[in-house]
Amino acid sequence: FDTKMQDALTWHFIMLFYLSQVIIYFGYMVLSGTFADWYFSLWSDKNNKIKRRGYGPSELSKAPIMESLWRVTRYHLGSLAFGAMII
């Protein structure tokens, strides 16, 4: 290999590691947002152990994973990318 090919391979290896970290931490943030939604939502009945569903404050939404995915993409993707770069 010449030096340009070695530089390209080095860059590709670094970016492979970086993007794999971004994808892993993206999944972690989506799951933690979903768990936080569940944890902080109100119980509809204490005896039945059912969460109150809806779109109001302190209610578990109909699709908590999709809402967490949207929040991570909209508000936290820059912090996630920066954190993956540090690691």
Coordinates of all heavy atoms in Angstrom, one line a residue:
F1 N 0.8 -1.2 0.0 CA 0.0 0.0 0.0 C 0.9 1.2 0.0 O 1.9 1.3 0.6 CB -0.9 0.1 1.2 CG -1.9 -1.0 1.3 CD1 -2.1 -1.8 2.4 CD2 -2.8 -1.2 0.2 CE1 -3.1 -2.7 2.5 CE2 -3.8 -2.2 0.2 CZ -3.9 -2.9 1.4
D2 N 0.3 2.3 -0.7 CA 1.0 3.5 -0.6 C 0.5 4.3 0.6 O -0.4 3.9 1.3 CB 0.9 4.3 -1.9 CG -0.6 4.6 -2.2 OD1 -1.5 4.0 -1.6 OD2 -0.8 5.4 -3.1
T3 N 1.1 5.5 0.8 CA 0.7 6.3 2.0 C -0.7 6.8 2.0 O -1.4 6.9 3.0 CB 1.6 7.5 2.2 OG1 1.6 8.3 1.1 CG2 3.0 7.0 2.5
K4 N -1.3 7.1 0.8 CA -2.6 7.6 0.7 C -3.6 6.4 1.1 O -4.6 6.7 1.8 CB -2.9 8.0 -0.7 CG -2.3 9.4 -1.0 CD -2.7 9.9 -2.4 CE -2.1 11.2 -2.7 NZ -2.5 11.7 -4.0
M5 N -3.3 5.2 0.7 CA -4.2 4.1 1.0 C -4.1 3.8 2.5 O -5.1 3.5 3.1 CB -3.8 2.9 0.2 CG -4.7 1.7 0.5 SD -6.4 2.0 0.1 CE -6.4 1.5 -1.6
Q6 N -2.9 3.9 3.1 CA -2.8 3.7 4.5 C -3.6 4.8 5.3 O -4.2 4.5 6.3 CB -1.3 3.7 4.9 CG -0.6 2.4 4.5 CD 0.9 2.5 4.8 OE1 1.4 3.5 5.2 NE2 1.5 1.4 4.6
D7 N -3.5 6.0 4.9 CA -4.2 7.1 5.5 C -5.7 6.8 5.4 O -6.5 7.1 6.4 CB -3.9 8.4 4.9 CG -2.5 8.9 5.2 OD1 -1.9 8.3 6.2 OD2 -1.9 9.8 4.5
A8 N -6.2 6.4 4.2 CA -7.6 6.1 4.0 C -8.1 5.0 4.9 O -9.2 5.0 5.5 CB -7.9 5.8 2.6
L9 N -7.3 3.9 5.0 CA -7.7 2.8 5.9 C -7.7 3.2 7.4 O -8.6 2.8 8.1 CB -6.7 1.6 5.7 CG -6.9 0.9 4.4 CD1 -5.8 -0.2 4.2 CD2 -8.2 0.2 4.4
T10 N -6.7 4.0 7.8 CA -6.7 4.5 9.1 C -8.0 5.3 9.4 O -8.6 5.1 10.5 CB -5.5 5.3 9.4 OG1 -4.3 4.6 9.1 CG2 -5.4 5.8 10.8
W11 N -8.3 6.2 8.5 CA -9.5 7.1 8.7 C -10.8 6.2 8.7 O -11.7 6.4 9.6 CB -9.6 8.1 7.6 CG -10.8 8.9 7.6 CD1 -11.9 8.9 6.8 CD2 -11.1 9.9 8.6 NE1 -12.8 9.8 7.2 CE2 -12.3 10.5 8.3 CE3 -10.4 10.4 9.7 CZ2 -12.9 11.5 9.1 CZ3 -11.0 11.4 10.5 CH2 -12.2 11.9 10.2
H12 N -10.9 5.2 7.9 CA -12.0 4.3 7.9 C -12.1 3.5 9.2 O -13.2 3.3 9.7 CB -12.0 3.4 6.7 CG -12.5 4.0 5.4 ND1 -11.6 4.8 4.6 CD2 -13.7 4.0 4.8 CE1 -12.3 5.2 3.6 NE2 -13.6 4.8 3.7
F13 N -11.0 3.1 9.7 CA -11.1 2.3 11.0 C -11.5 3.2 12.1 O -12.3 2.8 12.9 CB -9.7 1.7 11.3 CG -9.7 1.0 12.5 CD1 -10.3 -0.2 12.7 CD2 -9.0 1.5 13.7 CE1 -10.3 -0.9 13.8 CE2 -9.0 0.8 14.9 CZ -9.6 -0.4 14.9
I14 N -11.0 4.5 12.1 CA -11.4 5.4 13.2 C -12.9 5.7 13.1 O -13.6 5.7 14.1 CB -10.6 6.7 13.1 CG1 -9.1 6.4 13.5 CG2 -11.2 7.8 14.0 CD1 -8.2 7.5 13.3
M15 N -13.4 6.0 11.9 CA -14.8 6.3 11.7 C -15.7 5.1 12.0 O -16.8 5.2 12.5 CB -15.1 6.8 10.3 CG -14.5 8.2 10.1 SD -14.9 9.4 11.3 CE -16.7 9.5 11.1
L16 N -15.2 3.9 11.7 CA -16.0 2.6 12.0 C -16.2 2.6 13.5 O -17.3 2.3 14.0 CB -15.2 1.4 11.5 CG -15.8 0.1 12.0 CD1 -17.1 -0.2 11.3 CD2 -14.8 -1.0 11.7
F17 N -15.1 2.8 14.3 CA -15.2 2.7 15.7 C -16.1 3.9 16.3 O -17.0 3.6 17.1 CB -13.8 2.9 16.4 CG -13.8 2.9 17.8 CD1 -14.1 1.7 18.5 CD2 -13.5 4.0 18.6 CE1 -14.1 1.7 19.9 CE2 -13.6 4.0 19.9 CZ -13.8 2.8 20.6
Y18 N -16.0 5.1 15.7 CA -16.8 6.2 16.2 C -18.3 5.9 15.9 O -19.1 6.1 16.8 CB -16.3 7.5 15.5 CG -17.2 8.6 15.7 CD1 -17.3 9.3 16.9 CD2 -18.0 9.2 14.7 CE1 -18.1 10.3 17.1 CE2 -18.8 10.2 14.9 CZ -18.9 10.8 16.1 OH -19.7 11.9 16.3
L19 N -18.6 5.5 14.7 CA -20.0 5.3 14.3 C -20.6 4.2 15.1 O -21.8 4.2 15.4 CB -20.2 5.2 12.8 CG -19.9 6.5 12.0 CD1 -20.0 6.2 10.5 CD2 -20.9 7.5 12.4
S20 N -19.8 3.2 15.4 CA -20.4 2.1 16.2 C -20.7 2.5 17.6 O -21.7 2.2 18.1 CB -19.4 0.9 16.2 OG -18.3 1.2 16.9
Q21 N -19.9 3.4 18.1 CA -20.2 4.0 19.4 C -21.4 4.9 19.4 O -22.3 4.9 20.3 CB -19.0 4.8 20.0 CG -17.8 4.0 20.3 CD -18.1 2.9 21.3 OE1 -18.6 3.2 22.4 NE2 -17.7 1.7 21.0
V22 N -21.6 5.7 18.3 CA -22.8 6.5 18.2 C -24.1 5.6 18.2 O -25.0 5.9 18.8 CB -22.7 7.4 16.9 CG1 -24.1 8.0 16.6 CG2 -21.6 8.5 17.1
I23 N -24.0 4.6 17.4 CA -25.2 3.7 17.3 C -25.5 3.0 18.6 O -26.6 2.9 19.1 CB -25.0 2.7 16.2 CG1 -25.0 3.4 14.8 CG2 -26.0 1.5 16.2 CD1 -24.5 2.5 13.7
I24 N -24.5 2.5 19.3 CA -24.7 1.9 20.6 C -25.3 2.8 21.6 O -26.3 2.5 22.3 CB -23.3 1.3 21.1 CG1 -22.9 0.1 20.3 CG2 -23.4 0.9 22.6 CD1 -21.5 -0.4 20.5
Y25 N -24.7 4.0 21.7 CA -25.2 5.0 22.7 C -26.6 5.6 22.3 O -27.3 6.0 23.2 CB -24.2 6.1 23.0 CG -23.0 5.5 23.7 CD1 -21.7 5.6 23.2 CD2 -23.2 5.0 25.0 CE1 -20.7 5.0 23.9 CE2 -22.1 4.4 25.7 CZ -20.9 4.5 25.1 OH -19.8 3.9 25.8
F26 N -26.9 5.6 21.0 CA -28.2 6.0 20.6 C -29.2 5.0 21.1 O -30.3 5.4 21.6 CB -28.3 6.1 19.1 CG -29.5 6.6 18.5 CD1 -29.7 8.0 18.4 CD2 -30.5 5.8 18.1 CE1 -30.9 8.5 17.9 CE2 -31.7 6.3 17.6 CZ -31.9 7.6 17.5
G27 N -28.9 3.7 21.0 CA -29.9 2.7 21.6 C -30.0 2.8 23.1 O -31.1 2.7 23.6
Y28 N -28.9 3.1 23.8 CA -28.9 3.3 25.2 C -29.8 4.5 25.6 O -30.6 4.4 26.5 CB -27.6 3.5 25.8 CG -26.7 2.3 25.9 CD1 -25.3 2.5 26.0 CD2 -27.1 1.0 25.8 CE1 -24.4 1.4 26.0 CE2 -26.3 -0.1 25.9 CZ -25.0 0.1 26.0 OH -24.1 -1.0 26.0
M29 N -29.7 5.6 24.9 CA -30.5 6.7 25.2 C -32.0 6.5 24.9 O -32.8 7.0 25.7 CB -30.0 8.0 24.5 CG -28.7 8.5 25.1 SD -28.2 10.1 24.4 CE -29.2 11.2 25.2
V30 N -32.3 5.8 23.8 CA -33.7 5.6 23.5 C -34.3 4.7 24.6 O -35.4 5.0 25.1 CB -33.9 4.9 22.1 CG1 -35.3 4.4 21.9 CG2 -33.5 5.9 21.0
L31 N -33.6 3.7 25.0 CA -34.1 2.8 26.1 C -34.2 3.5 27.4 O -35.2 3.4 28.1 CB -33.2 1.6 26.2 CG -33.4 0.5 25.2 CD1 -32.4 -0.6 25.4 CD2 -34.8 0.0 25.1
S32 N -33.3 4.3 27.8 CA -33.3 5.0 29.0 C -34.5 6.1 29.0 O -35.1 6.3 30.0 CB -32.0 5.7 29.4 OG -31.7 6.7 28.4
G33 N -34.8 6.7 27.9 CA -35.9 7.6 27.8 C -37.2 6.9 28.0 O -38.2 7.4 28.6
T34 N -37.3 5.7 27.4 CA -38.5 4.9 27.5 C -38.7 4.4 29.0 O -39.8 4.5 29.5 CB -38.4 3.6 26.6 OG1 -38.2 4.0 25.3 CG2 -39.7 2.8 26.7
F35 N -37.7 4.0 29.6 CA -37.8 3.6 31.0 C -38.1 4.8 31.9 O -38.9 4.6 32.9 CB -36.5 2.9 31.5 CG -36.1 1.7 30.8 CD1 -34.8 1.3 30.6 CD2 -37.1 0.8 30.3 CE1 -34.5 0.1 30.0 CE2 -36.8 -0.3 29.6 CZ -35.5 -0.7 29.5
A36 N -37.6 5.9 31.6 CA -37.9 7.1 32.4 C -39.4 7.5 32.2 O -40.0 7.9 33.2 CB -37.0 8.3 32.0
D37 N -39.9 7.4 31.0 CA -41.3 7.7 30.8 C -42.2 6.7 31.6 O -43.2 7.1 32.2 CB -41.7 7.4 29.3 CG -41.4 8.7 28.5 OD1 -41.1 9.7 29.0 OD2 -41.5 8.5 27.2
W38 N -41.8 5.5 31.7 CA -42.6 4.5 32.4 C -42.5 4.8 33.9 O -43.5 4.8 34.6 CB -42.1 3.1 32.2 CG -42.9 2.1 32.9 CD1 -44.1 1.5 32.6 CD2 -42.6 1.6 34.2 NE1 -44.5 0.7 33.6 CE2 -43.6 0.7 34.6 CE3 -41.5 1.8 35.1 CZ2 -43.6 0.0 35.8 CZ3 -41.5 1.1 36.3 CH2 -42.5 0.2 36.6
Y39 N -41.3 5.1 34.4 CA -41.0 5.3 35.8 C -41.8 6.5 36.3 O -42.3 6.5 37.5 CB -39.5 5.4 36.1 CG -39.2 5.5 37.6 CD1 -39.2 4.4 38.3 CD2 -38.9 6.8 38.1 CE1 -38.9 4.5 39.7 CE2 -38.7 6.9 39.5 CZ -38.6 5.7 40.3 OH -38.3 5.8 41.6
F40 N -41.8 7.6 35.6 CA -42.4 8.8 36.1 C -43.8 9.0 35.7 O -44.4 10.1 36.0 CB -41.6 10.0 35.6 CG -40.2 10.1 36.2 CD1 -39.1 9.9 35.5 CD2 -40.1 10.4 37.6 CE1 -37.8 10.0 36.1 CE2 -38.8 10.5 38.2 CZ -37.7 10.3 37.4
S41 N -44.5 8.0 35.1 CA -45.9 8.1 34.8 C -46.7 7.7 36.0 O -46.2 6.9 36.8 CB -46.2 7.3 33.5 OG -46.0 6.0 33.8
L42 N -47.9 8.1 36.1 CA -48.8 7.8 37.2 C -49.4 6.4 37.0 O -49.7 6.0 35.9 CB -49.9 8.9 37.3 CG -49.4 10.3 37.6 CD1 -50.5 11.3 37.6 CD2 -48.7 10.3 39.0
W43 N -49.7 5.8 38.2 CA -50.5 4.6 38.2 C -52.0 4.9 38.0 O -52.5 5.8 38.7 CB -50.3 3.8 39.5 CG -48.9 3.3 39.7 CD1 -47.9 3.9 40.4 CD2 -48.3 2.2 39.1 NE1 -46.7 3.2 40.3 CE2 -46.9 2.1 39.5 CE3 -48.7 1.2 38.2 CZ2 -46.1 1.1 39.1 CZ3 -47.9 0.2 37.9 CH2 -46.6 0.1 38.3
S44 N -52.7 4.1 37.2 CA -54.1 4.4 37.1 C -54.8 3.7 38.3 O -55.8 4.3 38.8 CB -54.6 3.9 35.8 OG -55.2 2.6 35.8
D45 N -54.4 2.6 38.7 CA -55.0 1.9 39.9 C -53.8 1.2 40.6 O -53.1 0.4 40.0 CB -56.0 0.9 39.4 CG -56.8 0.3 40.5 OD1 -56.6 0.8 41.7 OD2 -57.5 -0.7 40.3
K46 N -53.7 1.5 41.9 CA -52.6 0.9 42.6 C -52.7 -0.6 42.8 O -51.7 -1.4 42.8 CB -52.5 1.5 44.0 CG -52.2 3.0 43.9 CD -50.9 3.2 44.5 CE -50.6 4.7 44.5 NZ -49.4 5.1 44.1
N47 N -53.9 -1.2 42.8 CA -54.1 -2.6 43.0 C -53.9 -3.4 41.7 O -53.4 -4.5 41.8 CB -55.5 -2.9 43.5 CG -55.8 -2.2 44.8 OD1 -54.8 -2.1 45.6 ND2 -57.0 -1.9 45.1
N48 N -54.2 -2.8 40.5 CA -54.0 -3.6 39.3 C -52.6 -3.4 38.7 O -52.3 -4.1 37.7 CB -55.1 -3.1 38.3 CG -56.5 -3.6 38.7 OD1 -56.6 -4.5 39.5 ND2 -57.5 -2.9 38.2
K49 N -51.9 -2.5 39.2 CA -50.5 -2.2 38.6 C -50.5 -1.9 37.1 O -49.7 -2.4 36.3 CB -49.6 -3.4 38.8 CG -49.5 -3.9 40.2 CD -48.6 -3.0 41.0 CE -48.4 -3.5 42.4 NZ -47.7 -2.6 43.3
I50 N -51.5 -1.0 36.8 CA -51.6 -0.5 35.4 C -51.2 1.0 35.4 O -51.7 1.7 36.2 CB -53.0 -0.8 34.9 CG1 -53.4 -2.2 34.9 CG2 -53.2 -0.2 33.5 CD1 -54.8 -2.5 34.5
K51 N -50.4 1.3 34.4 CA -50.1 2.7 34.2 C -51.2 3.5 33.5 O -51.8 3.0 32.6 CB -48.8 2.9 33.4 CG -47.5 2.4 34.2 CD -47.2 3.4 35.2 CE -45.8 3.0 35.8 NZ -45.4 4.1 36.7
R52 N -51.3 4.8 33.8 CA -52.3 5.6 33.1 C -51.8 6.0 31.8 O -50.7 6.5 31.6 CB -52.5 6.9 34.0 CG -53.6 7.7 33.4 CD -53.9 9.0 34.2 NE -54.2 8.6 35.6 CZ -54.1 9.5 36.6 NH1 -53.8 10.7 36.4 NH2 -54.4 9.1 37.8
R53 N -52.5 5.7 30.7 CA -52.1 5.9 29.3 C -52.7 7.2 28.8 O -53.8 7.6 29.2 CB -52.5 4.8 28.4 CG -51.9 3.5 28.8 CD -50.5 3.4 28.5 NE -50.3 2.6 27.3 CZ -49.1 2.0 27.0 NH1 -48.1 2.1 27.9 NH2 -49.0 1.4 25.9
G54 N -52.0 7.9 28.0 CA -52.5 9.1 27.3 C -51.4 10.0 26.9 O -50.2 9.6 27.0
Y55 N -51.7 11.2 26.5 CA -50.7 12.2 26.1 C -50.5 13.4 27.0 O -49.9 14.3 26.7 CB -50.9 12.6 24.7 CG -50.7 11.5 23.7 CD1 -51.7 10.8 23.1 CD2 -49.4 11.1 23.4 CE1 -51.5 9.8 22.2 CE2 -49.2 10.1 22.5 CZ -50.2 9.4 21.9 OH -50.0 8.4 21.1
G56 N -51.2 13.3 28.2 CA -51.1 14.4 29.1 C -49.8 14.3 30.0 O -49.1 13.4 29.9
P57 N -49.6 15.3 30.8 CA -48.5 15.3 31.7 C -48.6 14.1 32.7 O -49.7 13.8 33.2 CB -48.4 16.6 32.4 CG -49.8 17.2 32.1 CD -50.4 16.5 31.0
S58 N -47.5 13.4 33.0 CA -47.4 12.3 33.9 C -48.3 11.1 33.5 O -48.7 10.3 34.3 CB -47.9 12.7 35.3 OG -47.0 13.7 35.8
E59 N -48.5 11.0 32.2 CA -49.2 9.8 31.6 C -48.3 9.1 30.7 O -47.5 9.7 29.9 CB -50.5 10.2 30.9 CG -51.5 10.7 31.8 CD -52.8 11.1 31.1 OE1 -52.7 11.4 29.8 OE2 -53.8 11.2 31.7
L60 N -48.3 7.8 30.7 CA -47.5 7.0 29.8 C -48.1 7.0 28.4 O -49.3 6.8 28.2 CB -47.4 5.5 30.2 CG -46.5 4.6 29.5 CD1 -45.1 5.1 29.5 CD2 -46.6 3.2 30.0
S61 N -47.4 7.4 27.4 CA -48.0 7.5 26.0 C -48.3 6.2 25.4 O -47.9 5.1 25.9 CB -47.0 8.3 25.1 OG -45.8 7.5 24.9
K62 N -49.0 6.3 24.3 CA -49.3 5.0 23.6 C -48.1 4.4 22.9 O -48.1 3.2 22.7 CB -50.4 5.4 22.5 CG -51.6 6.1 23.0 CD -52.6 5.2 23.5 CE -53.9 6.0 23.8 NZ -54.6 5.5 24.9
A63 N -47.1 5.1 22.5 CA -45.9 4.6 21.9 C -44.7 5.2 22.6 O -44.0 6.1 22.0 CB -45.9 4.9 20.4
P64 N -44.3 4.8 23.8 CA -43.2 5.4 24.5 C -41.8 5.3 23.8 O -41.0 6.1 23.9 CB -43.2 4.8 25.8 CG -44.0 3.5 25.7 CD -44.9 3.7 24.6
I65 N -41.6 4.1 23.1 CA -40.4 4.0 22.4 C -40.2 4.9 21.2 O -39.2 5.5 21.0 CB -40.2 2.5 21.9 CG1 -40.2 1.6 23.1 CG2 -39.0 2.3 21.0 CD1 -40.2 0.1 22.7
M66 N -41.3 5.2 20.5 CA -41.2 6.1 19.3 C -41.1 7.5 19.8 O -40.3 8.3 19.2 CB -42.5 6.0 18.5 CG -42.6 4.7 17.8 SD -41.2 4.3 16.7 CE -41.4 5.6 15.4
E67 N -41.7 7.9 20.9 CA -41.5 9.2 21.5 C -40.1 9.4 22.0 O -39.5 10.5 21.8 CB -42.5 9.5 22.6 CG -43.9 9.8 22.1 CD -44.8 10.3 23.2 OE1 -44.4 10.5 24.3 OE2 -46.0 10.6 22.8
S68 N -39.5 8.4 22.6 CA -38.1 8.5 23.1 C -37.2 8.6 21.9 O -36.2 9.3 21.9 CB -37.8 7.3 23.9 OG -36.5 7.3 24.4
L69 N -37.5 7.8 20.8 CA -36.7 7.9 19.6 C -36.7 9.3 19.0 O -35.6 9.9 18.7 CB -37.2 6.9 18.6 CG -36.5 6.8 17.3 CD1 -35.2 6.0 17.5 CD2 -37.3 6.1 16.3
W70 N -37.9 9.9 19.0 CA -38.0 11.3 18.5 C -37.2 12.3 19.4 O -36.5 13.2 18.9 CB -39.4 11.7 18.4 CG -39.6 13.2 18.1 CD1 -40.1 14.1 18.9 CD2 -39.2 13.8 16.9 NE1 -40.1 15.3 18.3 CE2 -39.6 15.2 17.1 CE3 -38.6 13.5 15.7 CZ2 -39.3 16.2 16.1 CZ3 -38.4 14.4 14.8 CH2 -38.7 15.7 15.0
R71 N -37.4 12.2 20.7 CA -36.7 13.1 21.6 C -35.2 13.0 21.5 O -34.4 14.0 21.5 CB -37.1 12.8 23.1 CG -38.3 13.5 23.5 CD -38.5 13.5 25.0 NE -38.3 12.1 25.6 CZ -39.3 11.3 25.8 NH1 -40.5 11.6 25.4 NH2 -39.1 10.1 26.3
V72 N -34.6 11.8 21.4 CA -33.2 11.6 21.3 C -32.7 12.2 20.0 O -31.7 12.9 19.9 CB -32.8 10.1 21.4 CG1 -31.4 9.9 21.0 CG2 -33.1 9.6 22.8
T73 N -33.4 11.9 18.9 CA -33.0 12.5 17.6 C -33.1 14.0 17.6 O -32.2 14.7 17.1 CB -33.9 11.9 16.5 OG1 -33.9 10.5 16.5 CG2 -33.5 12.4 15.1
R74 N -34.2 14.5 18.1 CA -34.4 16.0 18.1 C -33.5 16.8 19.1 O -33.0 17.8 18.7 CB -35.9 16.3 18.4 CG -36.3 17.7 18.5 CD -36.5 18.3 17.1 NE -37.2 19.5 17.2 CZ -36.6 20.7 17.1 NH1 -35.3 20.7 16.8 NH2 -37.3 21.8 17.2
Y75 N -33.4 16.3 20.3 CA -32.8 17.1 21.3 C -31.4 16.6 21.8 O -30.6 17.4 22.3 CB -33.7 17.2 22.5 CG -35.0 17.8 22.2 CD1 -36.2 17.1 22.3 CD2 -35.1 19.2 21.9 CE1 -37.4 17.7 22.0 CE2 -36.3 19.8 21.6 CZ -37.4 19.0 21.7 OH -38.6 19.6 21.4
H76 N -31.0 15.4 21.6 CA -29.8 14.8 22.2 C -28.8 14.3 21.3 O -27.8 13.8 21.8 CB -30.2 13.8 23.3 CG -31.2 14.2 24.3 ND1 -30.9 15.2 25.2 CD2 -32.5 13.9 24.5 CE1 -31.9 15.4 26.0 NE2 -32.9 14.6 25.6
L77 N -29.0 14.3 20.0 CA -28.1 13.7 19.1 C -26.7 14.3 19.1 O -25.7 13.7 18.9 CB -28.7 13.7 17.7 CG -28.1 12.7 16.7 CD1 -28.1 11.3 17.2 CD2 -28.7 12.8 15.3
G78 N -26.7 15.6 19.2 CA -25.4 16.3 19.2 C -24.6 16.0 20.5 O -23.4 15.7 20.4
S79 N -25.2 15.9 21.6 CA -24.5 15.5 22.8 C -24.1 14.1 22.7 O -23.0 13.7 23.2 CB -25.4 15.6 24.0 OG -25.9 17.0 24.2
L80 N -24.9 13.2 22.1 CA -24.5 11.8 21.9 C -23.3 11.7 21.0 O -22.4 10.9 21.3 CB -25.7 11.1 21.3 CG -25.7 9.6 21.3 CD1 -27.0 9.0 21.6 CD2 -25.2 9.2 19.9
A81 N -23.3 12.4 19.9 CA -22.2 12.4 19.0 C -20.9 12.9 19.6 O -19.8 12.3 19.4 CB -22.5 13.2 17.7
F82 N -21.0 14.0 20.4 CA -19.8 14.5 21.1 C -19.3 13.5 22.1 O -18.1 13.3 22.3 CB -20.2 15.8 21.8 CG -19.0 16.5 22.4 CD1 -17.9 17.0 21.7 CD2 -18.9 16.6 23.8 CE1 -16.9 17.6 22.3 CE2 -17.9 17.2 24.4 CZ -16.8 17.7 23.7
G83 N -20.2 12.9 22.9 CA -19.8 11.9 23.9 C -19.1 10.7 23.3 O -18.2 10.2 23.8
A84 N -19.6 10.3 22.1 CA -19.0 9.1 21.4 C -17.6 9.5 20.9 O -16.7 8.7 20.8 CB -19.9 8.7 20.3
M85 N -17.5 10.8 20.5 CA -16.1 11.2 20.0 C -15.1 11.2 21.2 O -14.0 10.9 21.0 CB -16.3 12.6 19.4 CG -15.0 13.2 18.9 SD -15.2 14.8 18.1 CE -15.6 15.8 19.5
I86 N -15.6 11.6 22.4 CA -14.6 11.6 23.5 C -14.2 10.2 23.8 O -13.0 10.0 24.2 CB -15.3 12.3 24.7 CG1 -15.5 13.8 24.5 CG2 -14.5 12.0 26.0 CD1 -16.3 14.5 25.6
I87 N -15.1 9.3 23.8 CA -14.7 7.9 24.1 C -13.9 7.3 23.0 O -12.9 6.7 23.1 CB -16.0 7.0 24.3 CG1 -16.6 7.5 25.6 CG2 -15.7 5.6 24.4 CD1 -17.9 6.8 26.0

